[in-house]
Amino acid sequence: MLIKKPTLIRPSEITPPSAYLNRRQFMQGLAGTAAFAASASALALPAPQFDKGLPVYAGPDWLQQQLRAGVSNKALSTDEKVAPYQHAIRHNNFYEFGTGKGDPAKNAQDFITDPWSVEISGEVNRPGTIGLEDLIKPHQLEERIVRLRCVEAWSMVLPFVGVSLATLLKQFEPTSKAKYVEFTTLNDPKQMPGQRSVFSSLDWPYVEALRMDEAMHPLAFMAVGMYGNALPPQNGAPLRLVLPWKYGFKWVKSIVGIRFTETMPATTWNKMAAQEYGFFANVNPAVSHPRWSQATERRLPSSLFRPNIIDTQPFNGYGDEVAHLYSDLDLKKWF
Ligand SMILES: Nc1nc2c(c(=O)[nH]1)N[C@H]1C(S)=C(S)[C@@H](COP(=O)(O)O)O[C@H]1N2
Ligand SMILES: [Mo]
């Protein structure tokens, strides 16, 4: 059973990014960092600090204070080895900033994430626009170390900091008509080169959604931080979903809209290719993508000599927690 009573840890126990790097990775990181550090130094707000040559994102003052005041527990966390920080911030999917894995780290550094607000709408008693600080400040921050399994068959273990999604959503008082909740990424072609690209096959803004019972599940999480600090822009600053039992494409980044609906919303990847990307997108080794198997995954970091291929688990290994949500669904049909 993953669900334990949370305990508080002292701020001094928050793990700084450097502690996630072993010495060898640190040396490799430095060797490859000069060019990256140079490009990241011409920054808009918030300016990253550098921790052993890697950019660390402080975020706004209120968030930094909240992070230092203490982050709770390791409840719902895996004890697997966390990906080295430099991999987490340089291997990204964030098509708004380009389709290459290294594009977001290059193109998102000037992305303005403060001030930020989120519009709450639809089947809800308390709609309106709420500033990020007002959304997050009332809640105790929590660290969750989770597996991210991309539909492209790679995975990473990442340490997020944030708040349970249920806690955030309940305060808006969804009505009894709210059966789904939809999350929308910022639409800003001026800042997001991928949204200007004529080659883009995706419709903007990026939208994904959950059934209400999925959104209210204790594993569903809203992150504002990573590796003990604010979220880097390439990882979806300042606010992104963490849904450990679902393929990464459901983990919407840089959220500006939360809408409660009675009917199933149209979602970005499903609209692009419904036969390849289902609405539910639960990790499932038994249902292949039409163009590749989902039975195994490449756990990052990996290399030619150490490919690090592991078996993919149903619901990404979180079946004990979430399988009951889908007991009446044929998962081959509702993939
Ligand atoms: N807005 C937006 N959110 C997104 C994506 C995207 O392209 N745009 N890519 C998704 C995919 S496919 C994955 S695997 C994860 C990757 O998260 P990471 O870059 O923090 O590892 O973000 C998801 N969230
Ligand atoms: Mo993905």
Side-chain angles (χ1 to χ4, degrees):
M1 189 63 181
L2 280 169
I3 300 165
K4 286 182 266 169
K5 192 166 173 286
T7 49
L8 282 186
I9 58 168
R10 286 193 302 277
S12 59
E13 292 174 291
I14 299 174
T15 320
S18 55
Y20 289 98
L21 307 171
N22 67 35
R23 193 177 147 69
R24 197 175 57 87
Q25 289 160 342
F26 166 47
M27 299 310 286
Q28 285 172 347
L30 282 190
T33 304
F36 183 75
S39 75
S41 67
L43 274 209
L45 285 171
Q49 272 100 54
F50 287 85
D51 185 277
K52 314 242 180 201
L54 292 166
V56 174
Y57 302 84
D61 286 347
W62 63 264
L63 177 59
Q64 200 50 220
Q65 277 165 23
Q66 202 176 346
L67 286 161
R68 296 303 151 228
V71 172
S72 75
N73 87 351
K74 311 267 180 195
L76 297 160
S77 282
T78 171
D79 52 14
E80 287 156 285
K81 196 161 176 286
V82 167
Y85 179 65
Q86 71 266 31
H87 291 266
I89 64 169
R90 288 183 189 154
H91 178 102
N92 300 102
N93 272 336
F94 198 168
Y95 278 26
E96 285 85 341
F97 292 101
T99 53
K101 295 287 177 276
D103 289 346
K106 266 186 278 162
N107 299 333
Q109 296 309 311
D110 292 333
F111 183 39
I112 296 166
T113 57
D114 178 39
W116 193 269
S117 57
V118 182
E119 196 196 326
I120 313 297
S121 63
E123 299 295 344
V124 70
N125 288 330
R126 306 183 58 211
T129 299
I130 183 167
L132 187 64
E133 181 174 358
D134 295 331
L135 181 68
I136 299 301
K137 250 316 199 9
H139 309 290
Q140 170 64 51
L141 293 178
E142 206 184 311
E143 180 170 69
R144 299 239 188 135
I145 301 173
V146 295
R147 295 179 286 272
L148 164 66
R149 183 10 173 120
C150 176
V151 73
E152 298 161 337
W154 53 266
S155 66
M156 266 199 236
V157 175
L158 298 170
F160 288 103
V161 178
V163 177
S164 105
L165 184 60
T167 305
L168 282 192
L169 297 184
K170 275 180 197 152
Q171 62 190 333
F172 304 115
E173 299 171 15
T175 70
S176 59
K177 280 189 178 165
K179 300 282 188 289
Y180 297 87
V181 55
E182 174 197 87
F183 301 86
T184 304
T185 295
L186 180 70
N187 189 26
D188 187 355
K190 279 209 186 84
Q191 291 202 80
M192 296 171 146
Q195 293 180 337
R196 300 195 296 266
S197 168
V198 292
F199 301 107
S200 173
S201 47
L202 295 184
D203 259 358
W204 310 111
Y206 193 103
V207 170
E208 282 294 339
L210 298 168
R211 227 170 45 188
M212 275 307 270
D213 60 334
E214 301 181 300
M216 292 301 174
H217 190 280
L219 264 182
F221 193 65
M222 189 70 100
V224 293
M226 213 172 82
Y227 295 81
N229 271 290
L231 275 176
Q234 59 269 42
N235 294 88
L239 189 68
R240 65 97 48 97
L241 284 176
V242 171
L243 303 165
W245 73 103
K246 291 184 180 287
Y247 289 123
F249 70 84
K250 299 293 285 189
W251 302 32
V252 180
K253 292 178 167 180
S254 306
I255 292 167
V256 294
I258 300 179
R259 190 169 70 98
F260 297 85
T261 65
E262 194 169 7
T263 54
M264 189 185 273
T267 52
T268 294
W269 283 94
N270 189 251
K271 274 193 292 180
M272 208 272 276
Q275 69 289 359
E276 300 187 12
Y277 310 102
F279 173 86
F280 287 96
N282 294 317
V283 175
N284 190 348
V287 175
S288 297
H289 185 278
R291 289 179 279 129
W292 59 84
S293 162
Q294 296 290 22
T296 61
E297 67 202 54
R298 202 161 47 89
R299 172 62 55 84
L300 303 182
S302 78
S303 68
L304 206 54
F305 305 106
R306 215 177 63 89
N308 214 13
I309 305 292
I310 59 175
D311 285 345
T312 291
Q313 304 299 322
F315 301 105
N316 203 19
Y318 299 95
D320 285 352
E321 284 72 36
V322 299
H324 70 272
L325 297 177
Y326 311 101
S327 51
D328 58 350
L329 283 189
D330 175 357
L331 297 176
K332 296 223 145 87
K333 186 167 171 237
W334 297 99
F335 55 86

